[in-house]
Amino acid sequence: MKQRGKGATNAAAAGYPLGSGMSRNDTHQGNCGRAHMMRGNLPRAVECFDAARRLSPNNPLYPGMQGQALAGLGRSEEGLAALDHAIELCGDDIATASISHHSAGLFRERQGDYARAADHFRAVLRHNPTDMGAKIPLARCQDALLAELGFRRGERVEVHGLTGAPQHNGVIGRVKGRQGDRVTVTLPAATVALRPANLRKAPGETNN
């Protein structure tokens, strides 16, 4: 019985083009790999893409698709390494790179690596700013990163304890996002990045 991977990725739906500018042999292996992915036969897909990569080592399409198949088999580290290599091979081709960025972002989000996942989704949005398939998971990652610091997007906070910019003390603003170990807050006069210790819930703000 053929082994089927859970959550098999449909490479055709992912949008990888095949056939253009490639030799007949690696094209054949790539098409076979894509067909096996569509049938859910991920182990065989991995083998086909591996063969295609050996025949055409500088083509970013094959490691990108192989990365999806590997991750679908639960071989996350190998899958992410292949996707990262695909992104590297793309160079300035952001259209092709965005496909692997999106896949890598989803897999890293599942692993809880929200910061790196968010970087992948931002790369997709640089290519297509209206891509909801990247906007929605990016928002999830941003929410998770903020939660690590004890804050929620949109909640009202009061600035306090600043010595370098005391004019902001006592000002009420809204949490916008996270920047490293700081929280970005939109104030009436500016957007600032502050340490969590310099923020507290505004009067009347709840934990909901």
Side-chain angles (χ1 to χ4, degrees):
M1 180 180 292
K2 293 181 180 179
Q3 180 182 354
R4 304 278 175 172
K6 292 183 178 179
T9 303
N10 186 330
Y16 284 105
L18 285 175
S20 175
M22 294 182 261
S23 71
R24 181 176 59 83
N25 287 337
D26 65 81
T27 300
H28 172 74
Q29 294 292 345
N31 284 334
C32 285
R34 183 168 64 175
H36 284 301
M37 283 186 76
M38 293 177 69
R39 297 187 188 106
N41 188 355
L42 299 188
R44 186 71 181 98
V46 169
E47 293 175 2
C48 291
F49 293 135
D50 191 56
R53 290 180 71 176
R54 289 196 299 271
L55 290 164
S56 185
N58 295 320
N59 192 313
L61 303 178
Y62 301 136
M65 290 185 285
Q66 187 181 44
Q68 290 189 36
L70 286 165
L73 286 168
R75 296 161 62 180
S76 298
E77 294 307 317
E78 294 174 82
L80 286 168
L83 287 165
D84 288 341
H85 184 54
I87 292 167
E88 181 182 351
L89 288 174
C90 284
D92 295 330
D93 182 1
I94 60 173
T96 302
S98 67
I99 302 170
S100 291
H101 271 300
H102 186 265
S103 297
L106 292 175
F107 291 129
R108 286 198 159 102
E109 182 191 4
R110 292 173 195 169
Q111 290 184 330
D113 190 351
Y114 300 115
R116 293 180 72 185
D119 287 341
H120 286 300
F121 296 130
R122 290 189 188 98
V124 175
L125 291 171
R126 284 195 292 273
H127 168 60
N128 181 5
T130 63
D131 189 336
M132 296 305 295
K135 281 186 172 183
I136 292 172
L138 175 59
R140 288 197 304 261
C141 290
Q142 291 173 326
D143 288 343
L145 289 167
L146 271 174
E148 292 176 354
L149 298 180
F151 294 89
R152 294 179 292 107
R153 272 191 308 152
E155 74 174 316
R156 296 169 63 250
V157 290
E158 180 182 353
V159 180
H160 71 99
L162 291 180
T163 57
Q167 72 273 18
H168 295 316
N169 289 332
V171 177
I172 305 295
R174 288 192 179 274
V175 172
K176 180 180 180 182
R178 176 172 173 174
Q179 183 177 317
D181 62 351
R182 299 190 176 216
V183 179
T184 55
V185 180
T186 301
L187 302 176
T191 297
V192 293
L194 302 173
R195 294 185 178 88
N198 294 118
L199 297 170
R200 59 191 172 205
K201 291 188 183 296
E205 187 72 16
T206 67
N207 291 318
N208 295 331

